[in-house]
Amino acid sequence: MRKSTLVLSSLLIAGSLLLSSCSENGNTDAASTGTPANTAATADPGAAAGGTEAAVSPAVVPAGALSEPFTATDLTKLPAVAQKRTDTIIVGLTDPSGAFTPYFQESGYDGNVSSLLYASLVTVDDKGVPTPELAGSWEVAADQLTYTFHLHKDLKFSDGSPLTADDVAFTWTIQYDKAYDGGSLLPSLKVKGGEAYKAGTAQTIEGIKVIDPQTISVTLEQPNATALVTLGSNVLSKAYYGKDYKFGQLEYIKKLHEKPLGDGPYKLEKFIPGQEVRLVANENYFKGKPKTEHFIYKTTTGDAWQFLETGEVDYASFPATEENIGKLKELGYVNILPYTPSTYGYMQVNLKHEQLKDKRVRQAIAYGLDRQSIYVDAAEGAGAVANIPASPISWSYTEEGINPYKYDPDQANKLLDEAGWTVGAGGIREKDGKPLSIHYLASKSKNSDIFIAVAKENFAALGIDFQPEIFADFNSLVSKTESGDYDLVSYSTSMLTDPADGFMQFFDGEITDYENPKFVELYNKALATTDIEQRKAVYKELYQLFNDELPIIFTNYKKTVYAYNGRIQNLSVSPFIGLAGSLPNWTLK
C-alpha cells in the first residue's frame, strides 16, 4: 500500500500536506494525500518524477521558459462546453481507488479526494508555517512534550453533527490500535501510553486528555520536530467511524470508504471508478460554503491536451518545456503558473533480491543509467537529475559531499566486476551460475517508453538482462509491487514539506528491508530538535549516507506548468499544500 507525508516552520517543524498536482502526461496527478501523517508515493510515469532552501513560492522558481504567471489573453476562444459551466469545475486525477478515509487511503490519489472532504486541525501557509484550521490556536509546553489544541466553537461534520475534542481523541486513538496498518506517522510520535493501549494493557491512551468539548491535550514521550502538524491532521467522526469500533477490529472502516463523512469544503456525491469523482459543496464547512457548488475529478484515461483543448477539464499540468508553454499561450484562454514540485522521483529497490543487496550493484545502476538523457534532455529541460531524498527547494537541500553519479558506464562495469559479476558467453553477467537480471516495473506513459528505450541500451552495455513490465493503471502497479515480484519500480513522492518526509517509505511499511542503525540514529537525531541549523547539519549526513548506500535509486525532479481556465478566479498553488488551500474560494467569472 502506498502511503503518505509531512511540514516545516521557522518555529516548530511539523509534517503535513493536502493536495498537489503534477504529472508527465498532463493529467492532474495530485501526488499527495489528505493525511498529513502519511507520505504517499505516486506512480512515476515513465520513471520520470518530480522532488524544499527555505520555502519558495512557485512563481519564484524558474520553470522552462516561464518564470512568472501568464494571464489568459482571449477568453472568447474558450471551448463552448467550458463557457457553459456556471457552477462546476473539473480537474483531472489519476486512478483513485475509492478509499477516501484519511489514514486508510491506498494511494496519494485517494488523498487528493479526501483533502477536499476533510479539514485538519492545523494547516500550513505558503512558507510552510503551521496556521490554524479547525484548531483556532494551540500551545506547546516548554519541554516540547505537551500540545494543547483549542478548537473553534460550533464545528460540524458535513451531516451537521458536532465536531468536538472527543472526535480528535478517537482519531488519535485508533491509530494506536493493534489492528491499524495504515500509513499514519502519528504512532511514531510516541504518545504517552500509546504502546500500552496497543498492547491491550490499557483501556485508554494516558497522554490524550479531553479537557472540554473544544480543548484537547496530548503528551509525547520525547520531542519530535514534526509533531504539531502530524497531530493536527484530519479529524474523523467518532459517532460515525467509531460507532462499531472494538479494540483490535478496524476492518469495518473499509466498508465506510464509499460513504465518507468529513468536515472539509466538499462532500462526496458519487464515485464512478475509471470515470469521475463528483463532489458537492459542504454547507456546514466551518469557513463557509465554497463558492463553486460542484467539483469533479475526471479520472478517465486520456490525453490532457485534448481534455484542455476541448474544455472537458479546467485545469491540467504539463512538463515545463518551451514547446508546451508556447502551445498553452497560443490557446489564449488559459492562465499559466510555473511550478517546481517539492517531490522527487526514485526507483524502489527490492532489497530482498540477492543481486541488489550489494550496494556496488546499486551504484553501478546509478552510474550506468543515462539519467541526464532520460529525465532532462528527453524532457526538453523540464527536469533535473536527483541524487538525494529532498527537493532543491527544501531548506535542507545540499550538494555538498554528494556524488552526482554522472553517466559513466566504465565505472559501472568496474563496480560490477568488483561485485563478482562476470560477463558470460551470451554477454549477460553471471555470478554463482545465476544471470544478472533486472525486472523493472512502471506505469504506462510516453516517458516510460523513453526510459525503457534508453535503459535497454544502457543495461545491455553493462551485461544486465533488462526485463521491463508496464502497467496501464497505478493500482495495478502497486499490487505488483506489493507481491514482491520486481527488482526496480519507478515512483515519485508526494509533496515533501519537512525533510523527514523524504525518508517516510522506510518507516511506513513500503520499504522494510533496509537495515542500517546509522540511518535510524541520524533520522531520530534530526527529529529531536526544532533548531533549523542543527537539523540541517544532520540531514546533510543523512543525504550523504543515502547517496552512498542508495537503498533507493534517485532519478529526477520535475519542472511543471499548470494551465487552467482563465475564468477561474482566486486560484493559487502552495508549495506545501498545493491547490487545497485556495480551492474553496475558486469562482467562475
Side-chain angles (χ1 to χ4, degrees), residues 282-559:
N282 175 15
E283 64 275 15
N284 291 310
Y285 182 47
F286 79 106
K287 291 183 180 179
K289 185 178 179 180
K291 302 290 193 298
T292 302
E293 182 71 17
H294 299 282
F295 183 88
I296 295 175
Y297 272 129
K298 182 181 179 68
T299 62
T300 306
T301 300
D303 186 290
W305 276 107
Q306 179 181 337
F307 289 154
L308 192 65
E309 288 178 316
T310 58
E312 293 178 69
V313 299
D314 294 299
Y315 178 102
S317 64
F318 303 90
T321 64
E322 291 190 23
E323 179 182 4
N324 283 346
I325 293 168
K327 288 170 63 177
L328 290 169
K329 287 181 176 180
E330 288 177 7
L331 292 179
Y333 54 81
V334 296
N335 296 335
I336 310 171
L337 280 177
Y339 190 74
T340 297
S342 61
T343 62
Y344 68 84
Y346 65 96
M347 286 187 286
Q348 183 167 313
V349 179
N350 192 336
L351 297 170
K352 285 188 173 75
H353 289 189
E354 198 62 37
Q355 72 269 31
L356 294 171
K357 289 181 179 179
D358 190 331
K359 79 173 182 181
R360 291 173 296 186
V361 175
R362 303 194 295 269
Q363 289 174 339
I365 291 172
Y367 276 119
L369 273 175
D370 190 354
R371 294 178 297 158
Q372 175 71 25
S373 293
I374 297 169
Y375 302 112
V376 183
D377 299 343
E380 299 178 53
V385 171
N387 288 297
I388 64 172
S391 162
I393 64 171
S394 171
W395 56 266
S396 66
Y397 182 82
T398 182
E399 295 181 5
E400 184 178 343
I402 299 301
N403 183 347
Y405 289 101
K406 291 184 178 180
Y407 180 52
D408 189 342
D410 291 337
Q411 180 64 15
N413 278 305
K414 179 182 177 182
L415 285 165
L416 292 174
D417 289 340
E418 291 176 1
W421 291 93
T422 58
V423 179
I428 300 299
R429 289 180 179 271
E430 299 175 346
K431 184 177 181 181
D432 300 328
K434 296 181 179 179
L436 181 53
S437 178
I438 295 295
H439 180 195
Y440 168 78
L441 312 180
S443 293
K444 182 178 178 59
S445 76
K446 173 184 176 182
N447 295 295
S448 289
D449 296 338
I450 293 170
F451 178 89
I452 290 171
V454 176
K456 277 184 177 179
E457 183 177 327
N458 290 167
F459 281 134
L462 301 179
I464 297 176
D465 176 26
F466 180 56
Q467 300 178 0
E469 185 175 1
I470 303 303
F471 294 83
D473 66 273
F474 176 69
N475 296 319
S476 297
L477 176 69
V478 171
S479 295
K480 184 71 170 186
T481 305
E482 291 178 342
S483 76
D485 183 14
Y486 75 96
D487 291 303
L488 300 175
V489 54
S490 284
Y491 286 116
S492 67
T493 67
S494 57
M495 277 185 163
L496 306 176
T497 45
D498 188 84
D501 303 350
F503 301 97
M504 281 305 99
Q505 60 265 55
F506 295 92
F507 292 95
D508 63 10
E510 292 177 34
I511 299 175
T512 59
D513 298 294
Y514 177 59
E515 297 181 3
N516 187 327
K518 185 65 175 178
F519 164 50
V520 176
E521 174 194 340
L522 290 171
Y523 179 82
N524 289 331
K525 184 178 179 181
L527 289 177
T529 177
T530 58
D531 184 280
I532 294 289
E533 293 307 314
Q534 289 181 27
R535 296 191 79 204
K536 187 181 294 186
V538 178
Y539 281 116
K540 183 169 75 172
E541 287 188 68
L542 271 170
Y543 296 152
Q544 291 172 350
L545 176 66
F546 263 49
N547 176 252
D548 176 61
E549 293 265 312
L550 293 181
I552 55 177
I553 296 173
F554 305 102
T555 55
N556 66 308
Y557 305 119
K558 286 181 180 177
K559 295 180 182 179

Side-chain angles (χ1 to χ4, degrees), residues 95-175:
D95 290 334
S97 73
F100 301 143
T101 308
Y103 314 110
F104 296 88
Q105 297 148 343
E106 296 185 7
S107 76
Y109 306 126
D110 292 335
N112 288 340
V113 177
S114 68
S115 71
L116 300 182
L117 302 177
Y118 299 83
S120 297
L121 289 176
V122 179
T123 186
V124 294
D125 64 16
D126 287 351
K127 294 184 178 180
V129 177
T131 59
E133 196 167 34
L134 295 174
S137 63
W138 56 82
E139 295 99 35
V140 182
D143 61 6
Q144 302 287 300
L145 294 179
T146 299
Y147 293 73
T148 303
F149 295 90
H150 303 277
L151 278 63
H152 290 291
K153 291 183 178 181
D154 301 321
L155 293 173
K156 296 178 181 179
F157 289 101
S158 59
D159 65 350
S161 60
L163 188 163
T164 70
D166 283 330
D167 299 296
V168 179
F170 166 74
T171 302
W172 290 342
T173 297
I174 62 169
Q175 293 173 67

